[in-house]
Amino acid sequence: MEQRIQELGRQVLAETGKIIIGKERQVKLTLVALLSQGHILLDDLPGAGKTTLVKTLSIVLGLESRRIQFVPDLLPADILGMNIFNQKTGEFQLMRGPIMTNLLLADEINRAIPRTQSALLEAMEEEQVTVDGETYPLPRPFVVMATQNPVESETTFQLPAAQMDRFLVRLSLGYPSPEEEQRMLDTLGDGIPFSQVRTVTSGEELLRLQEEVREVFVSPEVSRYIVELTAATRRDPMARMGVSPRGSRSLYRAAKAWAALEGRDFVTPDDVQLLAHPVLDHRLLLSNEARLSGLTAEKLLDSTLAEVPVPPAAEELLHGQ
């Protein structure tokens, strides 16, 4: 099955590459999140292609997608839905909100008030929502791709740590290189050819592949390496809050998905190191002293990766041998 996952990765990159130019690593990380049943936070500039990425992925993966524009007056009911009284039947009926989808784009999530942001917490953790005391399961697979603009600060609200911790990866598309931008103009200058993108899988197959990813082998040594990395962030005096146990689990799950996309049925220490920044950076809160000194979460994690001993190559530990 690892071969099917690897082939799916190639197909997704090939199809999204028709629209999203030069962002193979970011697309692969979104696929890691999907295979890991995780969510994605895009810290990006306006016009970088966030909405286009979501729409392209929904076509390629055969998933239903919806978009919510987060604004200060958005209410939780605008996301979750509400019960409406039906005069004909004399009963209340659920008017489902846009969250009832496979791939949800929460655009500029940090523009909504914290109460509205928190409406996503149950959905992201438990794949269900509660409306007027009644709990409803969400479609599966379910993934949130949220965006926030790192430039503008007016009328924005910082995402709470509990919500940041629920995103499996944080990434940025960023500006293209001059060569990539030229290719984009040559290819997309007159319009985005979504009709040229083909569907290569389905929601049902993705669910099966998620279960297969769970079977990827992680040796005790590599598992211990993940624990030691996250524990080191909690001991660091420059961190006000280190990586949570949820962060350890996220890195563990993401490393399995990355290994499967590489065609392997085991995780290596290189997988853990490669994914450490996109999975862990946004979970670190720095002390006031650290921020005043110019330290960033990325630099703190670089120091942690340099200090924690790396276990032997996973090939030597494969299946406990």
Side-chain angles (χ1 to χ4, degrees):
M1 185 56 74
E2 288 77 19
Q3 291 181 348
R4 170 56 187 148
I5 295 175
Q6 186 180 34
E7 177 60 23
L8 175 63
R10 293 195 192 101
Q11 292 174 334
V12 170
L13 288 173
E15 293 302 315
T16 56
K18 297 175 182 178
I19 306 293
I20 308 296
I21 308 298
K23 304 299 178 184
E24 290 82 5
R25 184 173 184 273
Q26 291 92 331
V27 172
K28 192 171 180 180
L29 284 171
T30 63
L31 193 52
V32 163
L34 277 162
L35 291 170
S36 307
Q37 297 178 271
H39 307 285
I40 303 128
L41 178 63
L42 289 165
D43 259 328
D44 236 324
L45 301 164
K50 303 179 292 293
T51 305
T52 302
L53 173 60
V54 174
K55 185 170 182 179
T56 305
L57 282 172
S58 69
I59 297 171
V60 173
L61 300 173
L63 301 176
E64 177 188 318
S65 68
R66 301 286 296 275
R67 176 177 178 268
I68 303 174
Q69 182 63 51
F70 278 66
V71 290
D73 60 352
L74 189 75
L75 298 175
D78 298 325
I79 300 172
L80 306 179
M82 65 184 74
N83 284 312
I84 302 294
F85 184 73
N86 188 323
Q87 292 183 341
K88 291 183 178 180
T89 63
E91 297 178 346
F92 282 93
Q93 293 182 339
L94 175 67
M95 185 174 73
R96 294 174 178 268
I99 200 170
M100 299 290 188
T101 190
N102 297 125
L103 191 56
L104 178 69
L105 172 59
D107 207 7
E108 296 187 303
I109 188 174
N110 56 333
R111 290 198 181 278
I113 60 174
R115 175 169 170 255
T116 301
Q117 292 176 16
S118 67
L120 290 175
L121 293 179
E122 180 184 14
M124 294 173 70
E125 185 69 16
E126 302 177 46
E127 295 186 347
Q128 65 181 33
V129 295
T130 301
V131 179
D132 293 337
E134 291 289 330
T135 299
Y136 303 91
L138 290 170
R140 298 187 62 218
F142 173 73
V143 62
V144 173
M145 291 185 69
T147 72
Q148 60 177 358
N149 188 337
V151 177
E152 300 174 11
S153 58
E154 295 182 5
T155 67
T156 60
F157 302 87
Q158 185 174 359
L159 295 184
Q163 187 155 28
M164 292 291 286
D165 203 28
R166 281 169 168 78
F167 288 104
L168 187 128
V169 296
R170 182 181 67 177
L171 54 92
S172 171
L173 294 177
Y175 287 136
S177 67
E179 295 77 17
E180 292 167 348
E181 195 159 7
Q182 183 66 58
R183 284 175 54 204
M184 181 189 71
L185 292 177
D186 294 341
T187 306
L188 311 175
D190 294 323
I192 302 175
F194 289 113
S195 60
Q196 296 181 14
V197 177
R198 67 186 181 94
T199 300
V200 300
T201 185
S202 65
E204 292 75 15
E205 185 182 28
L206 278 174
L207 291 174
R208 291 195 297 271
L209 296 181
Q210 286 175 351
E211 292 302 316
E212 293 295 331
V213 165
R214 293 175 179 268
E215 301 304 316
V216 173
F217 176 73
V218 182
S219 71
E221 290 79 4
V222 172
S223 179
R224 190 176 306 116
Y225 180 48
I226 292 173
V227 171
E228 289 173 353
L229 281 174
T230 56
T233 66
R234 300 168 198 161
R235 295 192 300 266
D236 196 309
M238 302 302 275
R240 182 158 58 93
M241 187 176 78
V243 175
S244 70
R246 184 186 285 117
S248 301
R249 291 181 56 240
S250 295
L251 185 54
Y252 182 88
R253 289 156 49 206
K256 285 186 171 188
W258 185 274
L261 285 168
E262 292 292 306
R264 287 184 273 105
D265 63 354
F266 60 93
V267 172
T268 72
D270 286 344
D271 298 330
V272 174
Q273 293 176 330
L274 187 146
L275 292 166
H277 281 293
V279 176
L280 302 183
D281 281 350
H282 60 285
R283 305 171 195 273
L284 290 168
L285 291 182
L286 301 181
S287 66
N288 291 333
E289 178 186 355
R291 287 189 283 107
L292 289 173
S293 68
L295 185 67
T296 63
E298 292 83 357
K299 291 179 181 178
L300 188 150
L301 190 55
D302 278 337
S303 299
T304 303
L305 288 166
E307 292 170 3
V308 176
V310 180
E315 289 85 347
E316 301 172 14
L317 305 168
L318 181 58
H319 302 309
Q321 297 178 354

